[in-house]
């Protein structure tokens, strides 16, 4: 029978990978919906009403499925990680409760007005509802990331014992909730969400332009998505560079795993391309055994912030168990590679836009269409680096992952919940994408918007030939 620790970790990994898709869609769409609503009210142009109406449907579906998968995901703490819940419950309870009471209630309440109230409330209240829906969405991320970032860089706590079980006692809420990792994770995650949705909007719109079914709706979607991509793609790289230095300072074993740096060395280059010289190196990618194309000194620059000759401590010299290096190394390579591609794509589109032939370049349209979901895929890779790179700790240097698994959980029960959770989440994912694709194909506007100022001459006043 399967090891309950392995089954529990697999279950949490799969359910999290599926769940993260829906918050990314809703968090990323929120600022676009605020912009569409503002433009609709300010300009009275009907294309913005079409944009707001259509993308609100995608937002609402993402919100509903994200809520369901998020709530069920939390059950996993009780079924499979009861020991972790007992140890960290006092600290985790606050952020999760605030996420439900503050963020979810705000988002759910005003989403009703935003979806159904356009003709029932004033423009000001409707605009306010769009802002508060977006605020609620982003506040959810605040509280979830407060909890997760504490697991990366725990602060403001003391360890105690209750009934023979170690528990975390919260002694300084500000230090705990405003821990060093939180601002890095929040900015990186929210920008990644907007970048992913900008890529999705641009990619879907480019597909319709490429297949000659473009309308003003899709052309406007493509321009707005590209404008957002031009801002978010370079910013993600700049912020990621600084974020890397923070990781090197606070979790050196994760940073060393990202570079497969086993031996302590100085003037280390950043590996842009890394190909194993033998199949054995795929699962154990020692830097010395890879064919690499690298930027000299850049890894040392990333780690230090200014010194190209800085020393990076290798995994063999870190007094801690090593994370699964291969997973972290390859996920990080893929994440950085795709992030670089997004910058190229953004500037390519920006150049075509300046040339006035944004909609005439079929190769660009194909590149955007083929990349439409790669932003979300890259977010998944980032979370793999974040979570797997922390292993074997579930709370860094406080509690190991195997110690957080429910002590009474048998292999049979763990396998049953694994099959059940994976089955339900897979079904929800398939259903979600079916509905989204169907909406895009069948309900996206296919005709130019009629002008609101267009007047219709009543039939009875049209002069007759008689």
């Amino acid at each position: 029978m399967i090891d309950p620790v392995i089954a529990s970790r697999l279950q949490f990994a799969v359910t999290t990978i599926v769940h993260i898709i829906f918050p990314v869609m809703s968090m990323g769409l929120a600022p676009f919906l605020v912009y569409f609503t503002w433009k609709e009210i300010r300009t009275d142009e009907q294309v913005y009403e079409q944009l707001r109406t259509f993308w609100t449907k995608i937002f609402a579906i993402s919100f509903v499925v994200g809520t369901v998968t998020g709530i069920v995901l939390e059950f996993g703490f009780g079924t499979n990680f009861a020991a972790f819940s007992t140890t960290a419950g006092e600290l985790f309870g606050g952020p999760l409760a605030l996420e439900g009471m503050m963020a979810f209630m705000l988002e759910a309440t005003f989403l009703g007005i935003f979806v159904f109230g356009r003709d029932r409330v004033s423009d000001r209240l409707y605009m306010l509802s769009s802002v508060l829906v977006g605020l609620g969405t982003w506040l959810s991320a605040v509280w979830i990331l407060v909890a997760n970032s504490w697991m990366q860089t725990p602060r403001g706590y003391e360890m105690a014992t209750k009934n023979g079980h170690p528990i975390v006692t919260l002694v300084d809420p500000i230090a705990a909730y405003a821990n060093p990792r939180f601002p890095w994770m929040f900015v990186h995650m929210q920008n990644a969400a907007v970048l992913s949705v900008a890529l999705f909007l641009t990619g879907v719109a480019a597909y319709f332009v490429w297949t000659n079914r473009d309308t003003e709706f899709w052309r406007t979607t493509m321009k707005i998505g590209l404008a957002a991509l031009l801002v978010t793609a370079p910013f993600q790289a700049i912020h990621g560079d600084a974020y890397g230095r923070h990781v090197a300072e606070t979790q050196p074993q994760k940073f060393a795993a990202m570079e497969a740096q086993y031996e302590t060395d100085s003037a280390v280059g950043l590996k842009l391309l890394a190909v194993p010289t033998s199949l054995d190196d795929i699962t154990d990618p020692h830097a010395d055994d890879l064919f690499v194309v690298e930027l000299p000194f850049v890894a040392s620059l990333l780690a230090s912030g200014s010194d190209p000759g800085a020393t990076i401590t290798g995994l063999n010299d870190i007094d801690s168990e090593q994370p699964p290096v291969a997973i972290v190394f390859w996920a990080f390579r893929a994440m950085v590679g795709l992030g670089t591609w997004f910058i190229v794509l953004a500037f390519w589109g920006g150049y075509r836009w300046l040339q006035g032939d944004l909609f005439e370049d079929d190769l660009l349209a194909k590149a955007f269409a083929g990349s439409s979901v790669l932003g979300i895929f890259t977010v998944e890779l980032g979370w793999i680096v974040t979570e797997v790179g922390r292993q074997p700790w579930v709370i860094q240097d406080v509690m190991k992952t195997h110690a957080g698994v429910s002590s009474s959980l048998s292999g049979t029960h763990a396998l049953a919940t694994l099959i059940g959770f994976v089955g339900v989440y897979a079904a929800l994912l398939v259903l979600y994408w079916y509905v989204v694709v169907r909406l895009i194909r069948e309900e996206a506007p296919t005709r130019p918007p009629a002008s609101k100022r267009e007047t219709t001459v009543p039939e009875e006043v049209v002069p007759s030939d008689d």
Side-chain angles (χ1 to χ4, degrees):
M1 187 54 64
I2 190 170
D3 182 346
V5 175
I6 293 175
S8 298
R9 292 179 65 178
L10 279 174
Q11 175 187 311
F12 197 79
V14 172
T15 52
T16 303
I17 283 173
V18 174
H19 168 69
I20 194 67
I21 294 171
F22 314 115
V24 166
M25 288 296 291
S26 56
M27 290 187 302
L29 272 172
F32 288 98
L33 294 181
V34 172
Y35 176 73
F36 295 155
T37 306
W38 175 70
K39 287 289 287 185
E40 177 191 351
I41 292 173
R42 186 169 179 268
T43 67
D44 207 27
E45 293 181 28
Q46 203 165 6
V47 66
Y48 290 104
E49 179 185 350
Q50 291 180 333
L51 286 164
R52 189 259 308 159
T53 302
F54 177 75
W55 291 108
T56 296
K57 295 176 184 175
I58 306 294
F59 177 91
I61 294 168
S62 304
F63 170 75
V64 170
V65 182
T67 301
V68 171
T69 53
I71 292 173
V72 175
L73 183 62
E74 291 181 6
F75 292 160
F77 288 114
T79 57
N80 294 67
F81 293 94
F84 167 76
S85 300
T86 301
T87 296
E90 180 175 328
L91 193 137
F92 259 60
L96 294 184
L98 286 169
E99 195 257 343
M101 291 188 298
M102 182 189 295
F104 177 74
M105 291 303 295
L106 183 68
E107 189 178 2
T109 301
F110 284 93
L111 184 59
I113 297 175
F114 189 61
V115 172
F116 301 109
R118 183 66 186 96
D119 298 323
R120 296 178 173 84
V121 300
S122 66
D123 285 351
R124 285 187 178 182
L125 180 55
Y126 193 73
M127 184 70 228
L128 179 64
S129 70
S130 73
V131 173
L132 292 178
V133 167
L135 180 63
T137 305
W138 281 44
L139 276 177
S140 283
V142 168
W143 294 114
I144 295 299
L145 292 179
V146 160
N148 187 278
S149 62
W150 181 83
M151 295 163 67
Q152 310 286 337
T153 52
R155 299 287 189 281
Y157 72 97
E158 287 181 353
M159 295 302 298
T161 303
K162 185 176 182 180
N163 298 327
H165 194 94
I167 60 170
V168 170
T169 302
L170 184 62
V171 296
D172 186 347
I174 294 177
Y177 295 162
N179 67 81
R181 180 59 54 84
F182 170 70
W184 293 105
M185 292 188 78
F186 181 75
V187 173
H188 210 64
M189 182 67 226
Q190 299 311 97
N191 190 70
V194 177
L195 189 161
S196 300
V197 169
L199 202 58
F200 184 70
L201 265 61
T202 311
V204 173
Y207 171 79
F208 284 104
V209 171
W210 171 41
T211 54
N212 296 318
R213 286 184 286 169
D214 61 305
T215 63
E216 183 181 355
F217 174 85
W218 287 120
R219 289 184 175 226
T220 306
T221 299
M222 190 170 174
K223 285 182 177 179
I224 293 173
L226 177 56
L229 194 62
L230 279 164
V231 176
T232 55
F235 177 76
Q236 193 73 350
I238 295 168
H239 185 265
D241 169 60
Y243 189 1
R245 287 195 290 279
H246 169 73
V247 171
E249 292 169 2
T250 55
Q251 292 178 303
Q253 79 281 9
K254 182 187 290 185
F255 188 86
M258 286 156 56
E259 291 297 319
Q261 194 69 36
Y262 284 82
E263 304 298 333
T264 300
D265 201 356
S266 57
V268 179
L270 178 71
K271 302 172 188 66
L272 288 178
L273 174 66
V275 180
T277 53
S278 75
L279 291 178
D280 293 338
D281 294 330
I282 292 178
T283 57
D284 189 16
H286 286 257
D288 293 340
D289 298 331
L290 300 172
F291 170 76
V292 298
V293 176
E294 67 178 23
L295 296 174
F297 312 111
V298 174
S300 288
L301 272 173
L302 280 175
S304 65
S306 59
D307 182 7
T311 299
I312 294 180
T313 305
L315 288 163
N316 292 339
D317 296 317
I318 296 174
D319 187 21
S320 175
E321 293 183 46
Q322 297 174 1
V325 177
I327 297 174
V328 179
F329 178 79
W330 294 118
F332 182 69
R333 300 265 84 69
M335 180 185 70
V336 172
L338 286 170
T340 305
W341 165 242
F342 300 155
I343 295 172
V344 171
L345 201 53
F347 285 121
W348 181 7
Y351 174 74
R352 285 300 193 187
W353 196 352
L354 284 175
Q355 295 294 311
D357 54 4
L358 175 62
F359 306 115
E360 314 304 326
D361 189 336
D362 284 352
L363 185 59
L364 175 65
K366 292 176 184 176
F368 270 126
S371 304
S372 56
V373 298
L374 290 183
I376 296 173
F377 179 66
T378 308
V379 171
E380 305 274 17
L381 292 171
W383 274 102
I384 289 172
V385 173
T386 299
E387 297 303 296
V388 179
R390 187 188 57 213
Q391 299 302 319
W393 302 97
V394 63
I395 305 172
Q396 183 72 49
D397 298 326
V398 175
M399 184 180 201
K400 291 189 175 178
T401 303
H402 66 81
V405 174
S406 307
S407 58
S408 60
L409 190 67
S410 67
T412 303
H413 291 155
L415 182 61
T417 58
L418 171 63
I419 294 171
F421 274 61
V422 171
V424 170
Y425 274 64
L428 284 171
L429 180 61
V430 170
L431 180 63
Y432 171 79
W433 280 115
Y434 171 77
V435 173
V436 168
V437 171
R438 190 181 177 93
L439 275 174
I440 290 173
R441 284 182 172 175
E442 298 183 5
E443 297 202 18
T446 54
R447 294 180 179 178
S451 170
K452 285 186 174 182
R453 297 180 180 81
E454 185 178 70
T455 56
T456 303
V457 180
E459 188 175 348
E460 57 270 25
V461 300
V462 175
S464 68
D465 292 335
D466 298 336

